[in-house]
Amino acid sequence: MTQSPVVGPAGPPDPVRLGERAARTLTAELARHHGPKTALVVGATPDSVVLAVALGALLPGDTLTLVPADGTDADRLREHLTLQGQWVADRVRIVDSLAAADPADVVVAAEPFTGSAEAARATLEELGKYVGPGGVLTVAVPALPGRTPDAAAELDRQDALFGVGTDLVLRNHPPVRVHRLRFTPADIAVAARLAPAYRPSSIPLTRNMHIDSNGVAAAGIALGLAALTRAARPKSKLWLVPALAAAPVAAFFRDPERDIPEDPAAVVAAADGRVLSVQRLPDERFGDGEFLRIAVFLSVLDVHVNRAPVAGKVADYFVADGGFAAAMKPDAEHNVAAYTVLDTDHGTVVVAQRTGLIARRIVHRAPVGSLLARGERFGLIRFGSRTDVYLPADAADPVVAPGDKVVGGSSVIARWR
């Protein structure tokens, strides 16, 4: 067998390069595991950005195995690692072929898929043999229309069967889509050892302030309308309306960094806003017994990125039809809502993203089977809305009351008993 799996015949003349942002996305599963873990990078080269980011993600107790890319001298790769120091040398080993590697918790294909659907399928089957129980395989494929459409279509098919998350990385040459695949169920307990995953959908503006990619798109549309209006009516000042709206529209999608409490008993707010109600009620959709429901209203001035209140595994996701009443009104109980059901060590936890009078669009980024760390971003609601957190009533006690202001990912709204 060759040193790394063949991903298909040579692609177009312009090669697909993975930059730092794509590399961070590919290795996100490696970087977010706090506990000891094993990792396997297939297709490594000394100058690979993926390798550099993977080495930077290593923690004490981790082990990393490298399979050199086709045409890469393993001795040259060993010399490169020697220059990284003893700390890296103690945790990284190089094998001459994939057949000599052991199964790992995280497997990363350092080279993007650029071949046929059949080649992509064969490579995934081969790499899948080296993914440990509950482990994750991450791969990238060009995202431009018409660029390796067969490989991209096969990855989409595999994602429908085994996907636990995809990310579109636009700041790459060319843009790529990163797929995370899990072929066997993950242990729920692993979620408690995870840090929130790196998301390229959250674009950094400053060290502590990001903006969701939806905000970039919305601001771009507003500026585009301004440009078209000015071109069509150069003597009119009407173009100033969409131009001036671009900044506040983008600000609506702001996504600040948050300090997540380390207390393992803490349940954090799923969104910024004001607590509307705290009540016990049954809900047969989620199981027997009563649930403690904490409802939070988000005004148009609040951050609308939603975060996981607890660590857990996404067991189900469904959307309930309804109306679009004002989110702070009792009738909002029957609005269109998206429900994310989490399996946790304490029982079933549910986050309901409810639409409002203005909010008509729910963004969800946590497929069934994925693991969420406490405080991890998993979606957003556009404009005014409401987010409800359901907790097992016999396992948690609320620490907030109606009228309290909470901050998503940071404010503690309840504690496990």
Side-chain angles (χ1 to χ4, degrees):
M1 180 177 179
T2 57
Q3 289 178 311
S4 61
V6 178
V7 297
D14 189 16
V16 179
R17 298 183 177 88
L18 297 180
E20 182 179 355
R21 199 168 184 84
R24 287 187 65 189
T25 308
L26 266 174
T27 59
E29 288 295 324
L30 173 61
R32 68 192 303 234
H33 277 261
H34 284 158
K37 56 191 172 292
T38 56
L40 173 63
V41 174
V42 181
T45 62
D47 57 352
S48 169
V49 180
V50 175
L51 174 58
V53 176
L55 293 177
L58 289 176
L59 296 173
D62 292 349
T63 57
L64 172 62
T65 301
L66 303 178
V67 179
D70 292 331
T72 298
D73 185 356
D75 290 336
R76 180 166 163 258
L77 189 56
R78 290 187 179 94
E79 293 176 1
H80 174 74
L81 290 178
T82 300
L83 297 176
Q84 308 305 311
Q86 192 62 40
W87 196 92
V88 170
D90 290 342
R91 290 162 177 80
V92 182
R93 74 184 183 105
I94 300 172
V95 296
D96 292 328
S97 68
L98 182 60
D102 296 321
D105 300 320
V106 180
V107 179
V108 177
E111 299 174 304
F113 283 40
T114 58
S116 66
E118 292 76 13
R121 190 179 309 118
T123 301
L124 290 174
E125 289 178 357
E126 186 69 13
L127 292 176
K129 301 174 184 177
Y130 296 88
V131 181
V136 174
L137 167 65
T138 60
V139 299
V141 65
L144 286 180
R147 188 77 178 266
T148 62
D150 295 338
E154 178 60 25
L155 262 297
D156 288 339
R157 190 183 75 85
Q158 295 283 339
D159 186 72
L161 296 171
F162 309 110
V164 291
T166 61
D167 284 302
L168 177 62
V169 185
L170 293 174
R171 292 172 60 183
N172 195 74
H173 179 72
V176 295
R177 188 176 299 278
V178 174
H179 295 263
R180 295 185 294 280
L181 307 175
R182 179 176 286 122
F183 303 108
T184 56
D187 188 349
I188 297 173
V190 174
R193 302 196 298 268
L194 298 178
Y198 168 75
R199 295 287 189 228
S201 58
S202 183
I203 300 170
L205 297 179
T206 66
R207 183 174 182 179
N208 295 316
M209 180 58 70
H210 295 222
I211 183 171
D212 190 88
S213 56
N214 280 260
V216 177
I221 291 172
L223 293 175
L225 288 174
L228 289 174
T229 303
R230 187 169 188 181
R233 303 180 65 180
K235 296 183 179 181
S236 172
K237 300 296 184 181
L238 189 61
W239 65 273
L240 288 172
V241 176
L244 294 175
V249 166
F252 171 82
F253 292 96
R254 65 194 183 280
D255 182 12
E257 289 294 323
R258 293 287 163 76
D259 293 325
I260 301 168
E262 297 182 0
D263 182 2
V267 178
V268 300
D272 292 23
R274 177 171 55 86
V275 177
L276 283 178
S277 63
V278 178
Q279 58 187 137
R280 295 170 62 109
L281 46 77
D283 198 316
E284 297 178 353
R285 296 173 298 177
F286 312 135
D288 299 330
E290 288 189 324
F291 287 86
L292 173 67
R293 188 182 70 181
I294 302 175
V296 172
F297 168 68
L298 295 74
S299 76
V300 292
L301 299 179
D302 289 313
V303 172
H304 274 56
V305 172
N306 296 135
R307 296 172 178 264
V310 296
K313 177 182 177 181
V314 180
D316 196 10
Y317 172 76
F318 62 93
V319 177
D321 198 9
F324 296 98
M328 77 289 290
K329 302 294 184 181
D331 288 345
E333 182 80 20
H334 307 293
N335 281 3
V336 173
Y339 294 87
T340 301
V341 182
L342 300 175
D343 280 343
T344 76
D345 290 334
H346 300 276
T348 298
V349 174
V350 182
V351 181
Q353 299 169 279
R354 299 189 187 279
T355 60
L357 183 63
I358 302 175
R360 302 288 177 106
R361 172 70 171 165
I362 294 173
V363 178
H364 186 266
R365 296 172 175 142
V368 173
S370 58
L371 297 178
L372 292 177
R374 181 175 50 183
E376 181 171 347
R377 305 170 178 91
F378 73 91
L380 59 90
I381 315 174
R382 294 179 180 173
F383 305 104
S385 52
R386 168 178 155 181
T387 301
D388 298 351
V389 174
Y390 295 75
L391 305 168
D394 59 354
D397 294 313
V399 296
V400 292
D404 289 349
K405 290 286 292 182
V406 295
V407 176
S410 293
S411 297
V412 179
I413 61 172
R415 294 188 184 279
W416 297 118
R417 294 178 184 172

